[in-house]
PDB file of all heavy atoms in Angstrom:
ATOM      1  N   LEU A1535       0.595 -10.392  10.933  1.00  0.00           N
ATOM      2  CA  LEU A1535       2.012 -10.204  11.077  1.00  0.00           C
ATOM      3  C   LEU A1535       2.553 -10.546  12.492  1.00  0.00           C
ATOM      4  O   LEU A1535       3.594 -11.257  12.594  1.00  0.00           O
ATOM      5  CB  LEU A1535       2.365  -8.678  10.785  1.00  0.00           C
ATOM      6  CG  LEU A1535       3.845  -8.214  10.935  1.00  0.00           C
ATOM      7  CD1 LEU A1535       4.698  -9.046   9.979  1.00  0.00           C
ATOM      8  CD2 LEU A1535       3.959  -6.750  10.590  1.00  0.00           C
ATOM      9  N   TYR A1540       6.534 -14.748  15.510  1.00  0.00           N
ATOM     10  CA  TYR A1540       6.938 -15.801  16.451  1.00  0.00           C
ATOM     11  C   TYR A1540       7.550 -17.000  15.750  1.00  0.00           C
ATOM     12  O   TYR A1540       8.114 -17.846  16.359  1.00  0.00           O
ATOM     13  CB  TYR A1540       5.745 -16.249  17.260  1.00  0.00           C
ATOM     14  CG  TYR A1540       5.339 -15.289  18.306  1.00  0.00           C
ATOM     15  CD1 TYR A1540       4.227 -14.467  18.137  1.00  0.00           C
ATOM     16  CD2 TYR A1540       6.091 -15.203  19.519  1.00  0.00           C
ATOM     17  CE1 TYR A1540       3.814 -13.570  19.092  1.00  0.00           C
ATOM     18  CE2 TYR A1540       5.664 -14.295  20.486  1.00  0.00           C
ATOM     19  CZ  TYR A1540       4.540 -13.473  20.277  1.00  0.00           C
ATOM     20  OH  TYR A1540       4.212 -12.586  21.237  1.00  0.00           O
ATOM     21  N   LEU A1626      14.403   0.423 -11.341  1.00  0.00           N
ATOM     22  CA  LEU A1626      15.078   1.744 -11.118  1.00  0.00           C
ATOM     23  C   LEU A1626      15.026   2.609 -12.368  1.00  0.00           C
ATOM     24  O   LEU A1626      15.139   3.889 -12.215  1.00  0.00           O
ATOM     25  CB  LEU A1626      16.502   1.545 -10.639  1.00  0.00           C
ATOM     26  CG  LEU A1626      16.708   0.921  -9.310  1.00  0.00           C
ATOM     27  CD1 LEU A1626      18.113   0.726  -8.935  1.00  0.00           C
ATOM     28  CD2 LEU A1626      15.994   1.802  -8.206  1.00  0.00           C
ATOM     29  N   GLY A1629      11.541   6.367 -13.952  1.00  0.00           N
ATOM     30  CA  GLY A1629      11.336   7.515 -13.072  1.00  0.00           C
ATOM     31  C   GLY A1629       9.954   8.098 -13.367  1.00  0.00           C
ATOM     32  O   GLY A1629       9.177   7.558 -14.166  1.00  0.00           O
ATOM     33  N   THR A1670      -5.674  14.681   1.663  1.00  0.00           N
ATOM     34  CA  THR A1670      -4.316  15.242   1.810  1.00  0.00           C
ATOM     35  C   THR A1670      -3.531  15.043   0.486  1.00  0.00           C
ATOM     36  O   THR A1670      -3.436  13.902   0.028  1.00  0.00           O
ATOM     37  CB  THR A1670      -3.589  14.575   2.956  1.00  0.00           C
ATOM     38  OG1 THR A1670      -4.397  14.636   4.123  1.00  0.00           O
ATOM     39  CG2 THR A1670      -2.301  15.190   3.240  1.00  0.00           C
ATOM     40  N   LEU A1673       1.837  14.582  -2.026  1.00  0.00           N
ATOM     41  CA  LEU A1673       3.207  15.144  -2.204  1.00  0.00           C
ATOM     42  C   LEU A1673       3.515  16.312  -1.243  1.00  0.00           C
ATOM     43  O   LEU A1673       4.642  16.306  -0.689  1.00  0.00           O
ATOM     44  CB  LEU A1673       3.314  15.633  -3.677  1.00  0.00           C
ATOM     45  CG  LEU A1673       3.101  14.580  -4.707  1.00  0.00           C
ATOM     46  CD1 LEU A1673       3.439  15.047  -6.084  1.00  0.00           C
ATOM     47  CD2 LEU A1673       3.874  13.307  -4.410  1.00  0.00           C
ATOM     48  N   THR A1674       2.631  17.181  -1.052  1.00  0.00           N
ATOM     49  CA  THR A1674       2.999  18.335  -0.177  1.00  0.00           C
ATOM     50  C   THR A1674       2.330  18.383   1.126  1.00  0.00           C
ATOM     51  O   THR A1674       2.614  19.152   1.974  1.00  0.00           O
ATOM     52  CB  THR A1674       2.636  19.660  -0.998  1.00  0.00           C
ATOM     53  OG1 THR A1674       1.182  19.687  -1.137  1.00  0.00           O
ATOM     54  CG2 THR A1674       3.346  19.793  -2.256  1.00  0.00           C
ATOM     55  N   GLY A1675       1.329  17.478   1.336  1.00  0.00           N
ATOM     56  CA  GLY A1675       0.623  17.442   2.577  1.00  0.00           C
ATOM     57  C   GLY A1675      -0.522  18.549   2.647  1.00  0.00           C
ATOM     58  O   GLY A1675      -1.068  18.684   3.721  1.00  0.00           O
ATOM     59  N   LEU A1809      16.434  -5.796  -4.661  1.00  0.00           N
ATOM     60  CA  LEU A1809      16.790  -4.500  -4.324  1.00  0.00           C
ATOM     61  C   LEU A1809      16.123  -3.944  -3.107  1.00  0.00           C
ATOM     62  O   LEU A1809      16.346  -2.778  -2.656  1.00  0.00           O
ATOM     63  CB  LEU A1809      16.382  -3.597  -5.549  1.00  0.00           C
ATOM     64  CG  LEU A1809      16.991  -3.858  -6.868  1.00  0.00           C
ATOM     65  CD1 LEU A1809      16.317  -2.973  -7.913  1.00  0.00           C
ATOM     66  CD2 LEU A1809      18.458  -3.559  -6.825  1.00  0.00           C
ATOM     67  N   LEU A1825      12.839  -7.890   7.425  1.00  0.00           N
ATOM     68  CA  LEU A1825      13.801  -7.035   8.259  1.00  0.00           C
ATOM     69  C   LEU A1825      13.779  -7.402   9.662  1.00  0.00           C
ATOM     70  O   LEU A1825      14.831  -7.528  10.322  1.00  0.00           O
ATOM     71  CB  LEU A1825      13.472  -5.563   8.061  1.00  0.00           C
ATOM     72  CG  LEU A1825      13.771  -5.000   6.585  1.00  0.00           C
ATOM     73  CD1 LEU A1825      13.302  -3.622   6.463  1.00  0.00           C
ATOM     74  CD2 LEU A1825      15.266  -5.027   6.376  1.00  0.00           C
ATOM     75  N   PRO A1831      17.149  -7.700   2.390  1.00  0.00           N
ATOM     76  CA  PRO A1831      17.079  -8.115   1.007  1.00  0.00           C
ATOM     77  C   PRO A1831      18.158  -7.388   0.189  1.00  0.00           C
ATOM     78  O   PRO A1831      18.664  -6.291   0.626  1.00  0.00           O
ATOM     79  CB  PRO A1831      15.728  -7.675   0.522  1.00  0.00           C
ATOM     80  CG  PRO A1831      14.856  -7.426   1.738  1.00  0.00           C
ATOM     81  CD  PRO A1831      15.865  -7.094   2.814  1.00  0.00           C
ATOM     82  N   PRO A1833      21.039  -7.968  -3.510  1.00  0.00           N
ATOM     83  CA  PRO A1833      21.714  -8.993  -4.371  1.00  0.00           C
ATOM     84  C   PRO A1833      22.542  -9.931  -3.503  1.00  0.00           C
ATOM     85  O   PRO A1833      22.742 -11.092  -3.858  1.00  0.00           O
ATOM     86  CB  PRO A1833      22.538  -8.190  -5.273  1.00  0.00           C
ATOM     87  CG  PRO A1833      22.614  -6.829  -4.734  1.00  0.00           C
ATOM     88  CD  PRO A1833      21.485  -6.674  -3.851  1.00  0.00           C
ATOM     89  N   GLN A1936       0.819  12.567  -9.663  1.00  0.00           N
ATOM     90  CA  GLN A1936       2.159  12.654  -9.023  1.00  0.00           C
ATOM     91  C   GLN A1936       3.264  12.539 -10.072  1.00  0.00           C
ATOM     92  O   GLN A1936       4.198  13.311  -9.965  1.00  0.00           O
ATOM     93  CB  GLN A1936       2.309  11.454  -8.037  1.00  0.00           C
ATOM     94  CG  GLN A1936       1.516  11.753  -6.730  1.00  0.00           C
ATOM     95  CD  GLN A1936       1.172  10.481  -6.030  1.00  0.00           C
ATOM     96  OE1 GLN A1936       1.900   9.536  -6.071  1.00  0.00           O
ATOM     97  NE2 GLN A1936       0.075  10.503  -5.329  1.00  0.00           N
ATOM     98  N   GLN A1940       5.921  15.443 -10.540  1.00  0.00           N
ATOM     99  CA  GLN A1940       7.363  15.140 -10.226  1.00  0.00           C
ATOM    100  C   GLN A1940       8.262  15.365 -11.491  1.00  0.00           C
ATOM    101  O   GLN A1940       9.343  15.896 -11.358  1.00  0.00           O
ATOM    102  CB  GLN A1940       7.447  13.740  -9.726  1.00  0.00           C
ATOM    103  CG  GLN A1940       6.937  13.578  -8.366  1.00  0.00           C
ATOM    104  CD  GLN A1940       6.671  12.154  -7.945  1.00  0.00           C
ATOM    105  OE1 GLN A1940       6.814  11.242  -8.781  1.00  0.00           O
ATOM    106  NE2 GLN A1940       6.285  11.924  -6.652  1.00  0.00           N
ATOM    107  N   ALA A1943       8.674  18.944 -11.864  1.00  0.00           N
ATOM    108  CA  ALA A1943       9.540  19.487 -10.711  1.00  0.00           C
ATOM    109  C   ALA A1943      11.023  19.094 -10.981  1.00  0.00           C
ATOM    110  O   ALA A1943      11.949  19.884 -10.630  1.00  0.00           O
ATOM    111  CB  ALA A1943       9.039  18.916  -9.459  1.00  0.00           C
ATOM    112  N   MET A1944      11.278  17.924 -11.574  1.00  0.00           N
ATOM    113  CA  MET A1944      12.711  17.465 -11.866  1.00  0.00           C
ATOM    114  C   MET A1944      13.317  18.321 -12.877  1.00  0.00           C
ATOM    115  O   MET A1944      14.516  18.588 -12.786  1.00  0.00           O
ATOM    116  CB  MET A1944      12.644  16.017 -12.412  1.00  0.00           C
ATOM    117  CG  MET A1944      12.566  14.977 -11.309  1.00  0.00           C
ATOM    118  SD  MET A1944      12.192  13.382 -12.081  1.00  0.00           S
ATOM    119  CE  MET A1944      13.636  13.090 -13.090  1.00  0.00           C
TER     120      MET A1944
ATOM    121  N   ARG B 536       5.616  -2.847  16.658  1.00  0.00           N
ATOM    122  CA  ARG B 536       5.245  -4.300  16.774  1.00  0.00           C
ATOM    123  C   ARG B 536       6.288  -5.004  17.632  1.00  0.00           C
ATOM    124  O   ARG B 536       5.919  -5.920  18.362  1.00  0.00           O
ATOM    125  CB  ARG B 536       5.187  -4.898  15.387  1.00  0.00           C
ATOM    126  CG  ARG B 536       3.884  -4.449  14.689  1.00  0.00           C
ATOM    127  CD  ARG B 536       3.766  -4.962  13.253  1.00  0.00           C
ATOM    128  NE  ARG B 536       2.733  -4.219  12.599  1.00  0.00           N
ATOM    129  CZ  ARG B 536       1.444  -4.556  12.639  1.00  0.00           C
ATOM    130  NH1 ARG B 536       1.020  -5.564  13.377  1.00  0.00           N
ATOM    131  NH2 ARG B 536       0.525  -3.811  11.984  1.00  0.00           N
ATOM    132  N   GLN B 540       5.091  -6.799  21.071  1.00  0.00           N
ATOM    133  CA  GLN B 540       5.304  -8.191  21.323  1.00  0.00           C
ATOM    134  C   GLN B 540       5.992  -8.443  22.621  1.00  0.00           C
ATOM    135  O   GLN B 540       5.623  -9.315  23.435  1.00  0.00           O
ATOM    136  CB  GLN B 540       6.209  -8.738  20.163  1.00  0.00           C
ATOM    137  CG  GLN B 540       6.199 -10.229  20.057  1.00  0.00           C
ATOM    138  CD  GLN B 540       7.223 -10.683  18.978  1.00  0.00           C
ATOM    139  OE1 GLN B 540       7.685  -9.932  18.245  1.00  0.00           O
ATOM    140  NE2 GLN B 540       7.419 -12.007  18.946  1.00  0.00           N
ATOM    141  N   GLY B 558      -3.922  11.456   5.918  1.00  0.00           N
ATOM    142  CA  GLY B 558      -4.319  12.737   6.456  1.00  0.00           C
ATOM    143  C   GLY B 558      -3.266  13.369   7.346  1.00  0.00           C
ATOM    144  O   GLY B 558      -3.589  14.031   8.346  1.00  0.00           O
ATOM    145  N   ASN B 559      -1.982  13.239   6.971  1.00  0.00           N
ATOM    146  CA  ASN B 559      -0.845  13.827   7.744  1.00  0.00           C
ATOM    147  C   ASN B 559      -0.856  13.477   9.163  1.00  0.00           C
ATOM    148  O   ASN B 559      -0.512  14.207  10.063  1.00  0.00           O
ATOM    149  CB  ASN B 559      -0.985  15.390   7.680  1.00  0.00           C
ATOM    150  CG  ASN B 559      -0.273  15.970   6.536  1.00  0.00           C
ATOM    151  OD1 ASN B 559       0.777  15.416   6.087  1.00  0.00           O
ATOM    152  ND2 ASN B 559      -0.734  17.022   5.958  1.00  0.00           N
ATOM    153  N   LEU B 645       9.470  15.248   0.973  1.00  0.00           N
ATOM    154  CA  LEU B 645       8.204  14.486   1.253  1.00  0.00           C
ATOM    155  C   LEU B 645       7.094  15.493   1.552  1.00  0.00           C
ATOM    156  O   LEU B 645       5.964  15.098   2.058  1.00  0.00           O
ATOM    157  CB  LEU B 645       8.361  13.492   2.439  1.00  0.00           C
ATOM    158  CG  LEU B 645       9.453  12.465   2.203  1.00  0.00           C
ATOM    159  CD1 LEU B 645       9.365  11.376   3.248  1.00  0.00           C
ATOM    160  CD2 LEU B 645       9.318  11.844   0.816  1.00  0.00           C
ATOM    161  N   GLY B 646       7.294  16.770   1.257  1.00  0.00           N
ATOM    162  CA  GLY B 646       6.200  17.735   1.402  1.00  0.00           C
ATOM    163  C   GLY B 646       6.086  18.167   2.877  1.00  0.00           C
ATOM    164  O   GLY B 646       6.208  17.334   3.757  1.00  0.00           O
ATOM    165  N   GLY B 647       5.749  19.437   3.064  1.00  0.00           N
ATOM    166  CA  GLY B 647       5.537  19.869   4.443  1.00  0.00           C
ATOM    167  C   GLY B 647       6.688  19.707   5.326  1.00  0.00           C
ATOM    168  O   GLY B 647       7.898  19.729   4.890  1.00  0.00           O
ATOM    169  N   ARG B 670      15.608  22.891  -6.431  1.00  0.00           N
ATOM    170  CA  ARG B 670      14.564  22.182  -7.156  1.00  0.00           C
ATOM    171  C   ARG B 670      14.050  20.985  -6.308  1.00  0.00           C
ATOM    172  O   ARG B 670      14.686  19.960  -6.332  1.00  0.00           O
ATOM    173  CB  ARG B 670      15.098  21.747  -8.411  1.00  0.00           C
ATOM    174  CG  ARG B 670      14.088  21.312  -9.430  1.00  0.00           C
ATOM    175  CD  ARG B 670      14.680  21.262 -10.864  1.00  0.00           C
ATOM    176  NE  ARG B 670      14.675  22.557 -11.538  1.00  0.00           N
ATOM    177  CZ  ARG B 670      13.511  23.106 -11.937  1.00  0.00           C
ATOM    178  NH1 ARG B 670      12.395  22.486 -11.741  1.00  0.00           N
ATOM    179  NH2 ARG B 670      13.603  24.332 -12.617  1.00  0.00           N
ATOM    180  N   ALA B 673       8.676  16.730  -5.023  1.00  0.00           N
ATOM    181  CA  ALA B 673       7.805  16.194  -3.952  1.00  0.00           C
ATOM    182  C   ALA B 673       7.430  14.764  -4.184  1.00  0.00           C
ATOM    183  O   ALA B 673       7.070  14.351  -5.304  1.00  0.00           O
ATOM    184  CB  ALA B 673       6.592  16.971  -3.844  1.00  0.00           C
ATOM    185  N   LEU B 674       7.563  13.835  -3.166  1.00  0.00           N
ATOM    186  CA  LEU B 674       7.338  12.413  -3.287  1.00  0.00           C
ATOM    187  C   LEU B 674       6.362  12.023  -2.212  1.00  0.00           C
ATOM    188  O   LEU B 674       6.136  12.743  -1.274  1.00  0.00           O
ATOM    189  CB  LEU B 674       8.558  11.618  -3.220  1.00  0.00           C
ATOM    190  CG  LEU B 674       9.730  11.956  -4.206  1.00  0.00           C
ATOM    191  CD1 LEU B 674      10.957  11.233  -3.842  1.00  0.00           C
ATOM    192  CD2 LEU B 674       9.283  11.597  -5.650  1.00  0.00           C
ATOM    193  N   LYS B 675       5.741  10.802  -2.366  1.00  0.00           N
ATOM    194  CA  LYS B 675       4.787  10.264  -1.432  1.00  0.00           C
ATOM    195  C   LYS B 675       5.417   9.771  -0.126  1.00  0.00           C
ATOM    196  O   LYS B 675       4.885  10.047   0.908  1.00  0.00           O
ATOM    197  CB  LYS B 675       4.058   9.093  -2.041  1.00  0.00           C
ATOM    198  CG  LYS B 675       2.972   9.388  -2.881  1.00  0.00           C
ATOM    199  CD  LYS B 675       2.026   8.143  -3.045  1.00  0.00           C
ATOM    200  CE  LYS B 675       2.806   6.905  -3.554  1.00  0.00           C
ATOM    201  NZ  LYS B 675       2.775   6.739  -4.935  1.00  0.00           N
ATOM    202  N   HIS B 688      17.433   9.615 -10.508  1.00  0.00           N
ATOM    203  CA  HIS B 688      16.440  10.678 -10.982  1.00  0.00           C
ATOM    204  C   HIS B 688      16.577  11.973 -10.205  1.00  0.00           C
ATOM    205  O   HIS B 688      16.019  12.974 -10.645  1.00  0.00           O
ATOM    206  CB  HIS B 688      15.045  10.113 -10.874  1.00  0.00           C
ATOM    207  CG  HIS B 688      14.823   8.817 -11.698  1.00  0.00           C
ATOM    208  ND1 HIS B 688      14.812   8.828 -13.064  1.00  0.00           N
ATOM    209  CD2 HIS B 688      14.720   7.591 -11.252  1.00  0.00           C
ATOM    210  CE1 HIS B 688      14.641   7.560 -13.432  1.00  0.00           C
ATOM    211  NE2 HIS B 688      14.541   6.772 -12.373  1.00  0.00           N
ATOM    212  N   ALA B 701      19.011  -2.161   1.600  1.00  0.00           N
ATOM    213  CA  ALA B 701      19.073  -3.079   0.477  1.00  0.00           C
ATOM    214  C   ALA B 701      19.718  -2.476  -0.754  1.00  0.00           C
ATOM    215  O   ALA B 701      20.643  -3.008  -1.316  1.00  0.00           O
ATOM    216  CB  ALA B 701      17.691  -3.608   0.106  1.00  0.00           C
ATOM    217  N   PRO B 702      19.231  -1.278  -1.250  1.00  0.00           N
ATOM    218  CA  PRO B 702      19.950  -0.656  -2.398  1.00  0.00           C
ATOM    219  C   PRO B 702      21.416  -0.321  -2.127  1.00  0.00           C
ATOM    220  O   PRO B 702      22.195  -0.291  -3.015  1.00  0.00           O
ATOM    221  CB  PRO B 702      19.100   0.621  -2.695  1.00  0.00           C
ATOM    222  CG  PRO B 702      18.111   0.755  -1.676  1.00  0.00           C
ATOM    223  CD  PRO B 702      18.014  -0.538  -0.832  1.00  0.00           C
ATOM    224  N   ALA B 705      23.228  -3.308  -2.767  1.00  0.00           N
ATOM    225  CA  ALA B 705      23.179  -3.622  -4.216  1.00  0.00           C
ATOM    226  C   ALA B 705      24.043  -2.601  -4.981  1.00  0.00           C
ATOM    227  O   ALA B 705      24.046  -2.654  -6.251  1.00  0.00           O
ATOM    228  CB  ALA B 705      21.712  -3.557  -4.735  1.00  0.00           C
ATOM    229  N   HIS B 777      17.222  -4.618  13.598  1.00  0.00           N
ATOM    230  CA  HIS B 777      16.781  -5.187  12.292  1.00  0.00           C
ATOM    231  C   HIS B 777      15.836  -4.281  11.587  1.00  0.00           C
ATOM    232  O   HIS B 777      15.836  -4.134  10.342  1.00  0.00           O
ATOM    233  CB  HIS B 777      16.135  -6.532  12.462  1.00  0.00           C
ATOM    234  CG  HIS B 777      17.060  -7.604  12.960  1.00  0.00           C
ATOM    235  ND1 HIS B 777      18.422  -7.585  12.453  1.00  0.00           N
ATOM    236  CD2 HIS B 777      16.981  -8.703  13.751  1.00  0.00           C
ATOM    237  CE1 HIS B 777      19.004  -8.683  12.992  1.00  0.00           C
ATOM    238  NE2 HIS B 777      18.118  -9.306  13.722  1.00  0.00           N
TER     239      HIS B 777
END
Side-chain angles (χ1 to χ4, degrees):
Chain A
L1535 180 59
Y1540 285 101
L1626 291 177
T1670 307
L1673 303 186
T1674 61
L1809 299 172
L1825 289 171
Q1936 286 158 31
Q1940 288 164 355
M1944 276 166 63
Chain B
R536 286 176 195 277
Q540 197 184 349
N559 268 329
L645 300 193
R670 194 165 274 290
L674 304 172
K675 273 199 306 266
H688 302 288
H777 289 326

